Amino acid sequence: SVRRFAARPDMVISDSRRFIFLAVPKTGSSSIELALEPYRSPSTGQFNKHATCSRLRRDLPGAVWNSYFKFAFVRNPYDLMQSWYFYRQREELAAPDHPRHHLYTGNLGFEEFILGFAKNELMLRQVDFIAPYGRGVQVDFVGRYESLERDLQQVCEHLGLAPLRLRRVRASANEETGVNLWNRATRTVVNEYFAEDFTTFD
């Protein structure tokens, strides 16, 4: 049988409700995206799910970027990295024909993964998505993963949307069980790599 994998979805942009959702990785973006699906405009495939605001400002019509309500969510970098680690441990990624096979790190322990992250990782910092080049936050609202449902309802109220019900999608197995994973060395890597995230998003 032929193994089939879902393609990476496009960014959620709604022309009817005039909003853009910038999906920062590992911040509940898949759940938010699913909840916003009824408002998504037909996509041209121009922007993938995790397009940055720099890309959007460059390629969207100025009237769209300037007038649409733009929002994103961020997450404590320690939790984000822990979630990213467990996501990349998933057995399904081990399949050579999986489109995200290059992300598989099932052969690495947590410390080895974190210590090698800054040197080898291509994942952007959260500021690179919504506050690039030290120019400050470029979106209208930044919610927090830690208060995801409450902050998303603020967005809904602003846009005049009915309250959204979030479903857990693509959650990393065991990501909440790593309380004792961290040590001084791994914390130092995260503190240095995500220094701008800590400062910008308090």
Side-chain angles (χ1 to χ4, degrees):
S1 62
V2 177
R3 190 193 300 261
R4 299 186 184 277
F5 299 103
R8 172 179 286 186
D10 298 325
M11 170 168 277
V12 176
I13 299 177
S14 174
D15 294 320
S16 62
R17 296 303 181 120
R18 300 172 65 84
F19 71 75
I20 301 171
F21 169 51
L22 288 98
V24 178
K26 304 310 296 176
T27 61
S29 59
S30 293
S31 297
I32 299 170
E33 180 180 60
L34 182 61
L36 293 173
E37 187 63 33
Y39 306 104
R40 184 199 295 265
S41 294
S43 174
T44 64
Q46 182 179 9
F47 304 109
N48 70 41
K49 172 179 175 175
H50 296 304
T52 66
C53 67
S54 295
R55 168 80 191 280
L56 294 171
R57 291 194 68 161
R58 185 188 71 202
D59 294 342
L60 277 175
V64 171
W65 175 260
N66 293 327
S67 64
Y68 281 29
F69 183 76
K70 302 168 287 292
F71 64 99
F73 284 79
V74 295
R75 185 175 188 174
N76 181 294
Y78 289 110
D79 293 334
L80 185 149
M81 288 303 300
Q82 194 166 292
S83 177
W84 190 225
Y85 169 73
F86 282 117
Y87 173 83
R88 294 178 63 152
Q89 294 278 302
R90 292 164 58 185
E91 285 302 318
E92 66 183 79
L93 298 182
D97 56 339
H98 195 288
R100 296 189 179 122
H101 173 68
H102 64 286
L103 296 177
Y104 183 64
T105 52
N107 58 328
L108 296 180
F110 184 73
E111 182 172 4
E112 184 179 2
F113 174 78
I114 296 296
L115 294 182
F117 176 82
K119 179 179 179 181
N120 302 313
E121 183 58 59
L122 298 178
M123 183 179 180
L124 298 176
R125 300 164 179 84
Q126 295 171 104
V127 290
D128 296 324
F129 284 92
I130 57 178
Y133 312 122
R135 297 175 183 169
V137 174
Q138 304 287 300
V139 298
D140 301 299
F141 179 86
V142 178
R144 296 180 182 272
Y145 177 86
E146 293 78 12
S147 53
L148 180 58
E149 294 196 12
R150 183 188 67 196
D151 291 352
L152 184 59
Q153 295 319 312
Q154 285 187 248
V155 172
C156 291
E157 291 174 10
H158 178 85
L159 294 171
L161 307 182
L164 299 175
R165 181 184 294 268
L166 294 179
R167 294 192 307 175
R168 196 171 174 85
V169 180
R170 288 189 180 176
S172 302
N174 303 316
E175 67 178 65
E176 298 177 356
T177 65
V179 176
N180 298 318
L181 288 174
W182 295 93
N183 58 36
R184 180 177 296 180
T186 52
R187 286 183 182 276
T188 296
V189 169
V190 170
N191 288 340
E192 293 177 352
Y193 189 84
F194 291 100
E196 289 186 64
D197 280 7
F198 283 114
T199 301
T200 302
F201 306 119
D202 192 24

